[in-house]
Amino acid sequence: GQNIDQPTEMTATEGAIVQINCTYQTSGFNGLFWYQQHAGEAPTFLSYNVLDGLEEKGRFSSFLSRSKGYSYLLLKELQMKDSASYLCAVRDSNYQLIWGAGTKLIIKP
Amino acid sequence: DAGITQSPRYKITETGRQVTLMCHQTWSHSYMFWYRQDLGHGLRLIYYSAAADITDKGEVPDGYVVSRSKTENFPLTLESATRSQTSVYFCASSEGSEWYEQYFGPGTRLTVT
């Protein structure tokens, strides 16, 4: 079967750095996405990785290792508005997105 | 308004009733998707469409029907609602099936009593 694993919840302090991990086992791989979802709102796109390595976009970076079936999202200089759920999704061999259950990130002052 | 919209935003219905959730996008994206989101689960694909008049089943299609007569609209119908269909439903669109990101509508919170 296909599976995406993420921690259910993480807590971090304002101004700090947090790393949210995602491991996947899917039938094929055609890219990995990270989305942010604030409570009661729609998911919004953060990043896309298809090749191994680090993609940096402002305070957010995303890393991929295809051989390990592993990705992480790194959030720097945390702000209160970063409190949200972070969803990892993998595009499989049929170009369908397989979604993890999401990681709820709580930021404390 | 530009973007992707869903209606209604909230709906309460009774078991056995037919319900239609509407989705409209103004970008002329070729792909559209319907997901449901339940606590403890990732987003689960119900149906998707690659173009007008082309639809296909996703992971959890049972009990749902879709149509796409126009590129911009992709309604989802629950033919006979059941309590297990209580969920938040998201519609999404994208330009293509490959690396393109998906843009999500605001969601419809459906409660079946």
Side-chain angles (χ1 to χ4, degrees), chain A residues 30 33 35 37 40-46 48 50 57 85 87 91 94-102, chain B residues 9 33 35 37 40-45 48 58 90 96-107 109:
Chain A
N30 283 298
F33 293 80
Y35 280 75
Q37 185 177 25
E41 297 183 8
T44 55
F45 171 76
L46 284 177
Y48 170 74
V50 67
K57 193 186 288 188
S85 289
L87 313 181
R91 180 158 280 146
N94 295 319
Y95 291 94
Q96 297 300 321
L97 277 181
I98 310 300
W99 295 81
Chain B
R9 295 292 313 280
F33 308 85
Y35 291 95
Q37 188 175 40
H41 291 274
L43 288 160
R44 290 183 289 176
L45 183 65
Y48 69 100
F90 286 103
S97 66
E98 297 185 6
W99 61 269
Y100 297 100
E101 68 194 79
Q102 294 184 11
Y103 295 86
F104 285 80
R109 185 174 292 275

Side-chain angles (χ1 to χ4, degrees), chain B residues 70-92:
Chain B
K70 293 184 177 180
T71 299
E72 61 266 30
N73 296 324
F74 191 37
L76 175 74
T77 298
L78 288 67
E79 294 187 296
S80 178
T82 64
R83 289 197 182 90
S84 65
Q85 293 177 310
T86 292
S87 186
V88 179
Y89 291 85
F90 286 103
C91 178

Side-chain angles (χ1 to χ4, degrees), chain B residues 16-112:
Chain B
R17 292 200 181 255
Q18 183 180 81
V19 178
T20 296
L21 310 184
M22 305 301 293
C23 179
H24 175 79
Q25 53 105 355
T26 60
W27 294 304
S28 299
H29 284 171
S30 56
Y31 279 79
M32 295 188 75
F33 308 85
W34 274 107
Y35 291 95
R36 60 178 290 173
Q37 188 175 40
D38 305 291
L39 207 61
H41 291 274
L43 288 160
R44 290 183 289 176
L45 183 65
I46 303 170
Y47 271 95
Y48 69 100
S49 168
D53 297 322
I54 300 174
T55 62
D56 210 345
K57 295 178 180 179
E59 180 187 354
V60 289
D62 293 344
Y64 303 94
V65 174
V66 293
S67 62
R68 195 169 177 204
S69 57
K70 293 184 177 180
T71 299
E72 61 266 30
N73 296 324
F74 191 37
L76 175 74
T77 298
L78 288 67
E79 294 187 296
S80 178
T82 64
R83 289 197 182 90
S84 65
Q85 293 177 310
T86 292
S87 186
V88 179
Y89 291 85
F90 286 103
C91 178
S93 71
S94 72
E95 293 183 63
S97 66
E98 297 185 6
W99 61 269
Y100 297 100
E101 68 194 79
Q102 294 184 11
Y103 295 86
F104 285 80
T108 295
R109 185 174 292 275
L110 176 68
T111 301
V112 183

Side-chain angles (χ1 to χ4, degrees), chain A residues 59-78:
Chain A
R59 295 189 299 114
F60 292 7
S61 303
S62 56
F63 171 83
L64 174 68
S65 169
R66 288 172 296 170
S67 63
K68 295 182 179 179
Y70 168 70
S71 173
Y72 67 73
L73 181 69
L74 191 71
L75 291 74
K76 301 176 185 176
E77 301 169 16
L78 285 170

